[in-house]
Amino acid sequence: MMENVQKDEPVNGFGTACIHSGHIPDPNYAHVTPIYASSTFVFDTAEQGMNRFSGKEKGYIYSRWGNPSFTEAENKIAALETFGLKDDAGNPLRAKALLHASGMAALTTLFISHLKKGDKVLTHPSLYGGTNELLQKIFPSFGVEPVVMDMHDLTKVEEIIKKDTSIRMMYLETPANPTLRCVDLAANIALAKKYHLVSAVDNTFASPYLQQPFRYGTDYVFHSTTKFLNGHGTAVGGVLIGSDIEKMNSAIYKIHNLLGGNSNPFDAFLLANGIKTLEVRMERHCSNAMKVAQFLEQHPAISKVNYPGLQSHPDYAIAQKQMKHPGSMMSFELKDGLEAGKKFIDKLKVCVRAVSLGTCDTLVSHPASMTHYGVPKEQREASGITDGLIRMSVGIENVEDLLNDLDQALQ
Ligand SMILES: *Cc1c(COP(=O)(O)O)cnc(C)c1O
């Protein structure tokens, strides 16, 4: 494994860090870090091999354990998640990222690293569908249970943590799919710290440009890199970032290796290059989204818009407090319900019919029949996912084209 190379670069702007951070000059002087399509790495001597295994000498060994194409993306993400932040001693905060084959693989490393039989995870109802299923259906058979509650009522959160001493981890996702509910990071993470719970935040919808959970002292940040970090919809991937570098390099690295959910050089290459435009993409994503949300909110065919940048959203204040902009994800309901929603989706000409999010193009999907199909109807409706709800990931097209497309599809 290579050292975590977060240098003190002479960089003041986040956009510059997106482009330059994490880059390691290539031994062959390639401008862009190449795709290191190699499963294994050569030792000059037996002794060198031994030294790499024992950690005496830094260097790559085998691509399940690390690869130069991964290192670039990992260092970039660690630099962005800690950009401008300080540790308790006032020094620049550092973190270590481990790239995975998918967001779900990174989550599995996180949960297996910290939870054993009898432990519980405190979380909230509006989680990503896959995370919810993993916690509800897979981990209980290993003796790990979720405790699901509305984490807006902090007095109740504290009561539950005090009462149930088997709660070991607090797991937050904000903003969350598809109603864009947000939870207060500062307040909840402070409670996790007070009661010595491990805390982790799914920062996929925000990206480090809009929100940095390490600012509030969380232990881990998680991303499905498939979304805004890659930004172009070209690769599935995930990343787990930890601020305890020692632990990331030992215990967490070990579990990551043994579970085998490693990334691959091509996807990591696409990711590292996608990240270079993160700031400019996010600015455009967010300014488009605000205009789209305002257009939809005043449209007579629409009954409700869920966008944390609108004052009508229940978590408007939380989003204002902890996000640079309210993001580019939203959902809305047509007055005439499911049938009207299907007709609307079919009439779209610029917006694309697909699940996933964070791509350059605008994606439209139907949560009840697609992403949340596996969630029972009552549970779905309790968290605001009605049959008529439509989700939209607003892209970076020229906004007039999006507004015109939505307008003609709503006729
Ligand atoms: C997509 C997504 C995941 C899962 O990531 P994969 O890359 O699909 O495995 C987890 N959380 C959120 C918020 C997501 O959008």
Side-chain angles (χ1 to χ4, degrees), residues 102-104 128 173 202 204-205 222 224 226-227 236-237 357:
S102 66
M104 294 313 296
Y128 174 74
E173 179 181 331
D202 183 340
T204 302
F205 272 33
F222 156 80
S224 164
T226 316
K227 319 292 167 56
V236 169
L357 55 115

Side-chain angles (χ1 to χ4, degrees), residues 291-354:
K291 289 174 193 148
V292 167
Q294 284 165 344
F295 167 81
L296 291 172
E297 193 172 47
Q298 56 74 45
H299 198 284
I302 306 279
S303 57
K304 186 179 187 196
V305 182
N306 300 308
Y307 179 60
L310 295 175
Q311 291 193 20
S312 56
H313 192 277
D315 297 325
Y316 172 78
I318 298 177
Q320 289 289 311
K321 189 171 82 162
Q322 65 194 22
M323 298 177 77
K324 187 180 177 81
H325 304 304
S328 75
M329 296 300 301
M330 66 185 69
S331 59
F332 54 93
E333 254 170 89
L334 269 76
K335 279 194 182 133
D336 297 331
L338 178 61
E339 281 313 306
K342 277 164 72 178
K343 277 198 195 115
F344 161 79
I345 291 177
D346 289 346
K347 277 162 87 179
L348 292 167
K349 294 192 175 100
V350 177
C351 302
V352 175
R353 286 169 286 273

Side-chain angles (χ1 to χ4, degrees), residues 11-164:
V11 160
N12 291 316
F14 187 91
T16 313
C18 290
I19 296 164
H20 290 281
S21 67
H23 181 70
I24 300 155
D26 184 68
N28 293 311
Y29 294 85
H31 169 212
V32 174
T33 302
I35 303 166
Y36 279 86
S38 186
S39 56
T40 194
F41 295 83
V42 176
F43 312 131
D44 283 335
T45 60
E47 192 178 352
Q48 186 185 46
M50 292 171 195
N51 287 341
R52 283 199 198 156
F53 266 88
S54 70
K56 257 192 233 155
E57 182 183 317
K58 296 291 172 194
Y60 297 98
I61 298 172
Y62 181 61
S63 281
R64 175 153 48 79
W65 305 348
N67 174 294
S69 302
F70 306 173
T71 306
E72 168 124 356
E74 288 172 340
N75 287 337
K76 243 185 214 316
I77 294 168
L80 298 180
E81 280 294 349
T82 55
F83 184 81
L85 304 183
K86 299 262 190 278
D87 65 16
D88 293 340
N91 299 314
L93 186 68
R94 297 283 186 237
K96 162 84 186 174
L98 285 171
L99 220 55
H100 287 71
S102 66
M104 294 313 296
L107 271 184
T108 305
T109 295
L110 168 72
F111 291 140
I112 290 191
S113 299
H114 287 280
L115 301 165
K116 56 179 189 336
K117 195 172 166 196
D119 289 347
K120 291 182 185 160
V121 188
L122 180 64
T123 190
H124 49 89
S126 48
L127 295 182
Y128 174 74
T131 313
N132 180 64
E133 277 195 83
L134 192 65
L135 289 174
Q136 298 283 353
K137 296 186 186 158
I138 307 299
F139 281 112
S141 58
F142 297 96
V144 173
E145 301 277 345
V147 175
V148 182
M149 67 180 296
D150 180 353
M151 297 185 72
H152 288 82
D153 186 341
L154 296 159
T155 317
K156 281 220 181 90
V157 173
E158 185 159 12
E159 255 169 43
I160 294 266
I161 298 175
K162 277 210 276 203
K163 207 168 73 192
D164 192 342

